[in-house]
Amino acid sequence: QWREVVTTFNKRFTVPFEIDITNQDDVILKGTSPQKSFTFVDEETRGKVNRDDLLKVLSQGEKRALYILNLLFEITSRQKIGGSTLLIVDDIADSFDYKNKYAIVEYLKEISNSPNFYSIFLTHNFDFHRTLALRLNIYRTHRLFAVKRERCLKLIQEFYQKDPFTHWKSNLTIPKFTISA
């Protein structure tokens, strides 16, 4: 499974490194933890690098992509085992560049189509919210916003359609929309 996950990761995500599992036989035969090796790759350089040195030069988005590798393995394992899984994802694409954001959205789309996988996506990024809603065909009744009023937190149904600016422009006589505009 690790080989499969690493291949998926290397194909989907745009990062300046490739990952490989160096002890595949031991993982299979002895049940040991996989040892990951990293090869730094850019236009001029290609070479093995240790994980700690790699982490010093990676952006936040690239570090987060590396973290996603473990998530991919866990999801792949659960898909093979079967059974119901509730996946709660909180701002998974925060600090990703556009390519990696798209890669994770496509992966989340595949997961949401898996039988026995139930997902809750949390985000404060409205653009990511809209992208997920459109790409995953999430019904509007299943898209909720958290709203804090006084000392109470409520979940309300999304009322913006595809373009919040149109909604704001049509309500400019209301002070809070004027301030937003």
Side-chain angles (χ1 to χ4, degrees):
Q1 287 177 325
W2 269 106
R3 176 97 39 222
E4 178 185 332
V5 169
V6 166
T7 300
T8 299
F9 178 86
N10 286 334
K11 282 182 184 175
R12 287 183 184 241
F13 291 93
T14 305
V15 289
F17 58 88
E18 292 174 355
I19 301 173
D20 193 20
I21 303 298
T22 57
N23 64 337
Q24 184 68 27
D25 293 341
D26 288 342
V27 172
I28 294 168
L29 299 173
K30 299 177 184 174
T32 61
S33 295
Q35 299 297 314
K36 299 173 213 116
S37 74
F38 301 91
T39 302
F40 184 79
V41 179
D42 70 6
E43 292 102 30
E44 302 165 6
T45 312
R46 180 181 181 86
K48 297 281 183 204
V49 63
N50 99 18
R51 184 178 189 276
D52 292 336
D53 291 340
L54 181 65
L55 289 175
K56 290 177 188 173
V57 297
L58 296 180
S59 70
Q60 280 304 112
E62 291 164 344
K63 287 177 187 173
R64 189 163 242 185
L66 181 57
Y67 162 75
I68 295 239
L69 178 66
N70 293 315
L71 179 66
L72 294 178
F73 179 75
E74 183 66 29
I75 289 169
T76 302
S77 296
R78 288 176 180 264
Q79 285 173 324
K80 291 186 188 229
I81 292 170
S84 296
T85 297
L86 175 61
L87 179 66
I88 300 174
V89 179
D90 185 11
D91 271 329
I92 195 167
D94 196 35
S95 73
F96 275 179
D97 62 14
Y98 181 76
K99 281 183 175 181
N100 288 333
K101 221 175 249 189
Y102 182 78
I104 198 64
V105 167
E106 288 304 302
Y107 188 72
L108 292 173
K109 181 179 180 182
E110 289 172 19
I111 293 168
S112 68
N113 291 329
S114 295
N116 300 327
F117 261 78
Y118 305 93
S119 304
I120 297 175
F121 304 109
L122 306 172
T123 184
H124 67 278
N125 183 317
F126 188 74
D127 183 51
F128 187 66
H129 162 79
R130 283 188 349 187
T131 301
L132 276 178
L134 294 172
R135 295 294 300 150
L136 277 62
N137 297 318
I138 300 171
Y139 295 117
R140 191 162 167 236
T141 55
H142 294 104
R143 298 188 306 226
L144 303 174
F145 286 159
V147 176
K148 182 180 175 191
R149 291 198 177 116
E150 296 175 15
R151 298 182 54 87
C152 184
L153 184 66
K154 290 185 179 183
L155 292 177
I156 61 168
Q157 186 175 346
E158 171 194 16
F159 54 90
Y160 293 126
Q161 291 293 319
K162 294 181 178 165
D163 183 5
F165 299 109
T166 302
H167 179 72
W168 288 343
K169 286 190 323 190
S170 64
N171 287 291
L172 287 177
T173 58
I174 301 169
K176 71 178 182 181
F177 289 100
T178 306
I179 291 168
S180 295

